Amino acid sequence: MRNLLPFQNNDPQENGPQYLEDLATGYWYSEALFTAVELGIFTLLEPEGKELEEIAKTLSLERDGLQRFLQALCALGLLDRYGEVYFNTRVSQEFLVKGRENYQGESILWRKNIISNWRSLRRCLKKGGRVRYSKQDEGQEQIFRRIRRYGRAMGSVAKSKVKEILPMISCLSLTGDILDVGSGPGTISAGLLEHFPDARATLMDIPEVLDYARELLERTELGGRFDYHPANILEPWELKKDQFDLIILSNIVHAYSEVEIVDVLDRAVACLKPGGLILIHDFFLEHCLEKAALFDMNMFVNTFNGKVYEAEWVREQLELRNLYVTELLPLGSDTALIFAAKAAESLQNLCLDRKSQLIAKIKRHGFRSVHSITVEDIHIPGWVDLRCQYGCDNYGKPNCPPDSLSAQKTREMLADYTHGLLLEGTPPTVDFQRLVLKAEKEAFAAGYYKALALWAGPCTLCETCSREDGCRNSKDSRLSMEGAGMDVFATVKRAGISLRTLVDKGDYIKYFAILLLE
């Protein structure tokens, strides 16, 4: 079964007319979702679902058209039907019912609100930037409503992000002051204060936004633990130096130009305690590339200077300010984190998964993807060495059969490992294999002392390779996966990656290697 969303079908080996058709009709999905949220269908169906006639009567909709629309929502996995009763699926029940804690309807409809700006993309490309602006005659009441609408939208997104961020910082003993820069309604800080009962938070944003934040937060039990600092974050901050234990820049970096972000980072560093942390949460081009690149275009049509940056650029800016910096730490959703500190010990107190940090380091070298696998995913049948002997002109070369591992020896070797990484790259072969060696060194430096790489296909590191003299570069040469008895196709597919045999000379080539860890 194909994935529903176009970007999930992006496979260079398989892309064709259907992929283009899916891209061209992508708005069908969003328009169906927008309409269902606007009509309040998901809220109406709680708690036990309703029949078609009742839904049509309550919403004053024509019966036959509604039936077809509900059928579409069922196909999208947003509704289900049992007999004559339509009811919410789990995702709709949790995120699309108004009044529920995790309601996302506000953020969804905000996306609809900016469609007109996206339709100006061609004009933006000609001009080199944004061409649509807010009406100059927008009154105070309209500004008031827009700020609140935007705050509700971003607040609903932030609630889900807090749940992903907390596991990484839950080991901290945070009892001091938090500064939330460009805080919006303060949702991120509120989520952290719930977890750290002895901490306080200062929200910094423009006055109109903070008025709304105060209005929301003072209704909660956390209200007394917030301070409010009205300010334009692009202007000098009137805050004490070395004041804050944690400084949050959530979805701030993408909103500004390089020059502006550098100034913001300078001010954040000045306010950070010697043992404190800076938390940067944002879109980055190294994580969820399709979404990050399209979000970058969203900044292009909707802002003056906003853009999505490479994490490496952000990390470099932090290091230039004499900070210790983590690798990019992807969340399970479309955004990621970077932590920075004045003292290396501060980063060691984070609850970071060692393998996730290693994967981030390895991906920076230029691999198309890096997948975590277990040794059980590695398929070692009895026929692979025969395919090497009969059908491959590299048979007999150094590190290829018969000068390689038997399938049984490979099984014995894997008994000393539990997991590894499957590395995907692209031609040329020699460049890919050099990247694999860099990945192996990264793993060893990270403490994986048994790190060992095997790549698909014979070694190509040397310009000439003598069958008679044996390998002259055993320091860098590695065994091939096939030569060690591994079924590459089956192993790759077990990791959830599509792979097929190549028919035409111009077919897209995928290269793979396995990096065994421990």
Side-chain angles (χ1 to χ4, degrees), residues 94-110:
E94 184 173 357
F95 299 109
L96 296 175
V97 176
K98 222 169 194 177
R100 293 278 166 86
E101 180 185 357
N102 297 318
Y103 180 62
Q104 297 292 309
E106 299 286 359
S107 64
I108 289 167
L109 294 183
W110 181 263

Side-chain angles (χ1 to χ4, degrees), residues 298-313:
N298 186 57
M299 292 294 98
F300 183 65
V301 301
N302 283 293
T303 69
F304 296 105
N305 299 315
K307 62 183 292 187
V308 173
Y309 295 89
E310 291 184 347
E312 191 56 28
W313 180 83

Side-chain angles (χ1 to χ4, degrees), residues 290-424:
E290 294 93 341
K291 181 64 178 291
L294 289 172
F295 193 86
D296 180 60
M297 295 310 302
N298 186 57
M299 292 294 98
F300 183 65
V301 301
N302 283 293
T303 69
F304 296 105
N305 299 315
K307 62 183 292 187
V308 173
Y309 295 89
E310 291 184 347
E312 191 56 28
W313 180 83
V314 176
R315 293 181 73 257
E316 287 173 0
Q317 297 307 311
L318 294 166
E319 288 172 348
L320 286 172
R321 282 146 188 84
N322 298 316
L323 298 179
Y324 295 89
V325 186
T326 66
E327 297 296 327
L328 181 68
L329 303 168
L331 299 179
S333 52
D334 53 12
T335 51
L337 305 180
I338 297 173
F339 289 95
K342 292 180 178 178
E345 296 78 17
S346 300
L347 298 182
Q348 294 170 5
N349 294 328
L350 294 167
C351 307
L352 302 182
D353 174 28
R354 187 166 61 123
K355 188 163 67 172
S356 296
Q357 293 184 77
L358 175 62
I359 289 173
K361 281 185 179 181
I362 289 174
K363 287 188 74 173
R364 280 202 287 141
H365 288 296
F367 291 98
R368 189 170 188 271
S369 66
V370 180
H371 295 264
S372 180
I373 62 171
T374 66
V375 292
E376 287 77 16
D377 294 323
I378 302 173
H379 185 44
I380 308 173
W383 59 266
V384 178
D385 59 335
L386 295 176
R387 193 68 181 86
C388 289
Q389 184 174 356
Y390 301 104
C392 180
D393 57 11
N394 288 295
Y395 184 79
K397 289 182 67 174
N399 297 324
C400 283
D403 181 25
S404 187
L405 297 183
S406 67
Q408 182 56 36
K409 177 61 179 175
T410 299
R411 294 187 190 100
E412 293 172 2
M413 175 190 69
L414 291 181
D416 288 324
Y417 292 88
T418 58
H419 63 281
L421 301 176
L422 187 64
L423 314 177
E424 179 184 352

Side-chain angles (χ1 to χ4, degrees), residues 29 134 175 466 499:
Y29 301 89
S134 299
T175 58
S466 170
L499 184 64

